[in-house]
Amino acid sequence: MTDGTPATLRVEESADRVVVTLDRPERRNAIDQRMVDELHEVCAALERDPRLLILTGAGGVFASGADIAELRERTAADARRGINATVFTRIAELPLPVIAAIDGPALGGGAELAYAADFRIGTPRLRIGNPETGLGIIAAAGALWRLPRLIGEPLAKELTLAGRILTGEEALAVHLVTALYEPEELLAGAHALADRIATNDPLATQLTKSVLHAAPHEHPHAEQEAQAVLFESPEKKRRMTEFLERRRR
């Protein structure tokens, strides 16, 4: 970074994916303004050049939450700016899928970052939840509306009102994560999932994600318009021709 401050993210790029590692070990990967700014930079790059995104954390921690030292000094005006909520929504709306690979704590803002992903995988030592009310604030960066959609309102209330923290096994049981891996295998598991997604047509994947995120009143028009685009796509014709030729063999 140009001002001499250490970066909070490690970014590894390849042709079809980007791996972003939250890397503030001295603060257990707490999300501060610097990290928010760097996540915006990642989003800008992926909006220009759509690729899959894998989010993970360094040192056996996904993200311990938002940076409390910063939060303590924030004002009503800061709350209305939606500092974390804005970048998490931008991550959720990236053209291609986002995979959160979660080891250890994903709490508060760290959990909300994970909720913004399309897929969540974890390890048995994962701990995820929203203890914000214990600090005198609410989970205002997406948990209060994303989490009920992901796990249902009753359990979401346990996490956000009663401060329950889910273990890896509990998160798997309620489908908040879709798979558990040993810590040393977590990133390989994320790449295996990305490999499966990457075999599909990127445009069809982008439009599927877009329609999944469409508001209820936009259906079925959203599906019809997306399919109309794909029906004219050369990639659709190529893939279907290959399918038919394989079946003839």
Side-chain angles (χ1 to χ4, degrees), residues 50-64:
R51 283 169 287 172
L52 297 162
L53 172 61
I54 297 172
L55 290 169
T56 193
V61 177
F62 183 71
S64 59

Side-chain angles (χ1 to χ4, degrees), residues 116-153:
D118 298 289
F119 301 91
R120 283 159 299 281
I121 62 174
T123 71
R125 63 188 186 188
L126 175 156
R127 298 294 182 269
I128 190 166
N130 292 91
E132 282 89 342
T133 55
L135 294 170
I137 59 173
I138 67 170
L144 298 182
W145 59 275
R146 285 196 179 98
L147 194 54
R149 296 179 186 179
L150 292 170
I151 60 175
E153 185 174 314

Side-chain angles (χ1 to χ4, degrees), residues 182-202:
E182 290 305 312
E184 64 275 13
E185 298 170 354
L186 178 62
L187 199 54
H191 279 294
L193 176 55
D195 289 343
R196 294 208 309 272
I197 298 167
T199 63
N200 299 321
D201 173 25

Side-chain angles (χ1 to χ4, degrees), residues 188-222:
H191 279 294
L193 176 55
D195 289 343
R196 294 208 309 272
I197 298 167
T199 63
N200 299 321
D201 173 25
L203 180 59
T205 301
Q206 287 185 48
L207 290 174
T208 297
K209 178 172 175 175
S210 175
V211 173
L212 279 168
H213 284 204
H217 72 271
E218 295 178 310
H219 301 282
H221 179 72

